[in-house]
Structures are given as structure tokens and as C-alpha cells.
Amino acid sequence: MHADGCSGLNDLYRSDTICEVACMAHVRRKFVGIFRSQASPIAEEAIARIAQLYGVEKQARRSPPDVRVELRKAHAAPVFDDLEV
């Protein structure tokens, strides 16, 4: 389920029948706020990596679903996995 992180949905995700798919725009917004208030180099790096993910999505736009999946696997998954670490 794609949601904006509303805490009212947390019980749904605990059931293991629904998988949360978070919105990177909301994640990015948090890092932007931290960077603006603290000039955090970690936040700045996160913003740059999220920009890479946005670039993959721009490249995938208007492509057939199978092409989008392959682009995401090849280019977005490594960036996302590294960002998570």
C-alpha cells in the first residue's frame, strides 16, 4: 500500500498482509529540513542519492512496465539499498 506515513495506518502494516510502500518525496522533505537547519553533510548526501532515484524514475517514465522494472532493478535498487544502509 502506498501511503504518506500516516500513523493511523501502522496497525495495517503490522499484520504482514500489507506491505508499506513509502513516498520518497516525504522522506526527501525530512532530509531537506535537516539540511536547511543544520547543514548536515549526511542529509545533503541523502538528498543527492534521492535525486538519483528521481533520475531513474524520469528515465523510466512512459516506458512499458517491464522496462520500468528492469531500469529500477538495475539503477534504482542499488542506490536505494545503499541509502537504506
Side-chain angles (χ1 to χ4, degrees):
M1 181 166 111
H2 185 244
D4 65 358
C6 171
S7 61
L9 301 174
N10 289 344
D11 286 341
L12 290 174
Y13 304 137
R14 286 188 196 106
S15 70
D16 290 331
T17 58
I18 295 177
C19 177
E20 178 183 12
V21 180
C23 171
M24 289 306 292
H26 284 88
V27 172
R28 182 184 179 282
R29 201 171 299 146
K30 296 285 186 185
F31 283 115
V32 168
I34 292 168
F35 180 71
R36 286 182 179 161
S37 67
Q38 302 172 21
S40 165
I42 294 171
E44 184 177 31
E45 178 67 22
I47 294 164
R49 292 180 189 202
I50 292 168
Q52 290 176 327
L53 295 172
Y54 282 14
V56 173
E57 288 304 305
K58 184 176 182 178
Q59 182 181 358
R61 193 175 301 139
R62 296 183 191 86
S63 295
D66 58 327
V67 173
R68 289 195 309 264
V69 167
E70 290 307 314
L71 282 169
R72 289 171 179 154
K73 282 181 182 178
H75 302 288
V79 174
F80 187 79
D81 291 345
D82 195 40
L83 175 62
E84 188 175 28
V85 172

